[in-house]
Amino acid sequence: MVSANLGAMNTHNTPSFQTPSSFVTFRLARLQSSLNAQGAALLKSKSGLSLVEWRLIQTLRMIKNASLTEIADHVQMDKGQLSRKIKAMVEKGLLRTETNKRDQRIQHLTLTAEAEKLSAEMMPFMDARQQHLLANVSVEDLEVFYSVIDKIEAASKFRGDA
Amino acid sequence: MVSANLGAMNTHNTPSFQTPSSFVTFRLARLQSSLNAQGAALLKSKSGLSLVEWRLIQTLRMIKNASLTEIADHVQMDKGQLSRKIKAMVEKGLLRTETNKRDQRIQHLTLTAEAEKLSAEMMPFMDARQQHLLANVSVEDLEVFYSVIDKIEAASKFRGDA
DNA sequence: CGAAACCATTTGACAGGTCAAATGGTTTGT
DNA sequence: ACAAACCATTTGACCTGTCAAATGGTTTCG
């Protein structure tokens, strides 16, 4: 399937000097860099939230009372980072923690009214952004896009087998 | 496959609790997180290089004598970070700098023999990795995948319009 | 019971990433 | 010529990401 990948390279805006190796990952890294910058700028301008804060808020809207570990699994984020971020967000008045009665190791997290409010205010802008990002992508192509992400993500879990 | 591996491996059909907003960016961020971990681990185990070092070396193999600004534009990386990283790589014996005779602001960068050697040694593993990542992706799907990346990346350059 | 194994979360140390201001060289316009 | 505008690179400050070890609570099982 190498030829596949070379074919794709020649038909897109691939610079002719691009090495085959790490082309996909290179493109994805560059894309991620742009998306992060855009998302962070939008969030900062409309609310005072960071990208990480936004993602945690949205995750907690999906998984009510999630614990740190549950969030970490869901967003694939480091637990150390999460621990510190949660602490900061509690101090900022965005989250509340509640210790599990049966297992005192676990802290359940809930959004404060302030966090809900910021989320609601910000949501239209974030939805519009997503619309904009996908404006020229057909439903079928998006379907394929997600399926390729799934495959690459599954393959990216393996270590040491090349 | 899916049932065995929750947080990391849902299929592209949106989980019922997933908000439409930021779904694409969410998936891409999570994918990037996995790819970075995999790439960094592979590089570290086979050579002593970091992901950033690998990317800089590959960029310099493509754009000979590139300056800091040219690299920054190509890989979409911060110039400050790049400046420090280049300095460190010069000290590590991976890069050499040469000041442009006509414009002394500009430093042209070249790879040392050591960097070329590490790159050559590492390349088969990185190529194999890419093979592995795309093993189950058809030519047509990969074509679509790159075209969607192109579109999203183009849209991610805009600020304040949506 | 009580030690070993486990698990959730925290902390420390350090690399990577981002923004803005500073430095030093070059071009432009008068 | 020379100040203003520009440009490439550097530096400072601070936030985010990653890894490993530490802390404190819980379960298992002799």
Side-chain angles (χ1 to χ4, degrees):
Chain A
M1 215 143 297
V2 178
S3 54
N5 144 23
L6 289 170
M9 282 174 53
N10 295 336
T11 34
H12 287 95
N13 61 1
T14 311
S16 58
F17 45 73
Q18 174 74 54
T19 320
S21 175
S22 76
F23 181 55
V24 188
T25 53
F26 176 88
R27 285 305 310 276
L28 284 170
R30 211 176 59 179
L31 172 60
Q32 197 56 33
S33 170
S34 288
L35 285 175
N36 281 343
Q38 186 193 43
L42 179 57
L43 278 164
K44 191 181 172 191
S45 72
K46 306 287 182 189
S47 63
L49 298 171
S50 74
L51 220 38
V52 175
E53 287 167 347
W54 175 256
R55 288 182 69 192
L56 292 198
I57 289 173
Q58 295 318 309
T59 302
L60 275 169
R61 278 166 36 84
M62 296 180 243
I63 314 178
K64 303 284 185 192
N65 292 312
S67 69
L68 182 153
T69 298
E70 288 172 314
I71 295 178
D73 289 347
H74 186 69
V75 301
Q76 196 80 23
M77 199 180 296
D78 181 77
K79 290 181 182 180
Q81 184 191 177
L82 217 36
S83 172
R84 278 181 263 250
K85 198 66 202 175
I86 286 168
K87 190 177 163 200
M89 287 175 76
V90 168
E91 282 164 10
K92 269 179 81 173
L94 295 171
L95 300 183
R96 252 176 295 105
T97 63
E98 190 188 355
T99 304
N100 185 308
K101 289 299 176 207
R102 299 182 175 278
D103 187 338
Q104 301 184 58
R105 291 173 302 182
I106 303 173
Q107 300 237 303
H108 296 288
L109 302 169
T110 48
L111 297 174
T112 61
E114 170 69 6
E116 296 279 14
K117 176 167 154 282
L118 280 173
S119 174
E121 284 170 4
M122 202 59 219
M123 193 60 78
F125 296 108
M126 295 305 267
D127 280 336
R129 175 189 177 222
Q130 162 131 326
Q131 295 280 104
H132 172 65
L133 288 174
L134 300 177
N136 297 309
V137 179
S138 71
V139 178
E140 304 78 40
D141 284 2
L142 189 57
E143 190 76 10
V144 172
F145 185 69
Y146 282 131
S147 79
V148 175
I149 288 181
D150 285 343
K151 287 172 182 170
I152 297 178
E153 191 168 353
S156 73
K157 304 290 185 196
F158 293 107
R159 295 290 145 81
D161 64 335
Chain B
M1 181 183 199
V2 174
S3 57
N5 190 354
L6 279 176
M9 250 304 300
N10 38 24
T11 52
H12 67 273
N13 39 33
T14 310
S16 56
F17 48 75
Q18 173 73 55
T19 320
S21 175
S22 75
F23 182 55
V24 188
T25 53
F26 175 89
R27 284 306 311 274
L28 284 170
R30 212 176 59 179
L31 172 60
Q32 196 56 35
S33 170
S34 288
L35 286 174
N36 281 342
Q38 187 193 42
L42 179 57
L43 278 165
K44 190 180 172 191
S45 72
K46 306 285 182 189
S47 64
L49 297 172
S50 72
L51 218 39
V52 175
E53 287 167 347
W54 175 256
R55 289 182 67 192
L56 292 198
I57 289 173
Q58 294 319 308
T59 302
L60 274 169
R61 279 167 35 87
M62 296 180 242
I63 314 178
K64 303 283 185 192
N65 292 311
S67 68
L68 181 152
T69 298
E70 286 172 315
I71 295 178
D73 289 347
H74 185 67
V75 301
Q76 197 79 25
M77 199 180 296
D78 181 76
K79 290 180 180 180
Q81 183 191 178
L82 217 37
S83 173
R84 279 180 265 249
K85 197 67 202 174
I86 287 169
K87 190 177 163 198
M89 287 175 76
V90 168
E91 281 163 12
K92 269 179 81 172
L94 295 170
L95 301 183
R96 249 175 298 104
T97 62
E98 190 188 356
T99 304
N100 186 308
K101 289 299 176 204
R102 300 181 176 280
D103 187 339
Q104 303 184 58
R105 293 172 301 181
I106 303 172
Q107 300 238 304
H108 296 288
L109 303 168
T110 49
L111 296 174
T112 61
E114 170 68 8
E116 296 278 13
K117 177 168 152 283
L118 281 173
S119 174
E121 284 169 4
M122 201 59 221
M123 192 62 78
F125 296 108
M126 295 305 268
D127 280 336
R129 174 189 177 221
Q130 160 133 330
Q131 295 279 108
H132 172 66
L133 288 174
L134 298 177
N136 297 310
V137 179
S138 71
V139 180
E140 304 78 35
D141 285 2
L142 189 59
E143 189 78 11
V144 171
F145 184 70
Y146 282 131
S147 79
V148 174
I149 288 181
D150 285 344
K151 287 173 182 169
I152 297 178
E153 191 167 354
S156 73
K157 306 285 187 200
F158 293 108
R159 295 293 143 83
D161 67 330

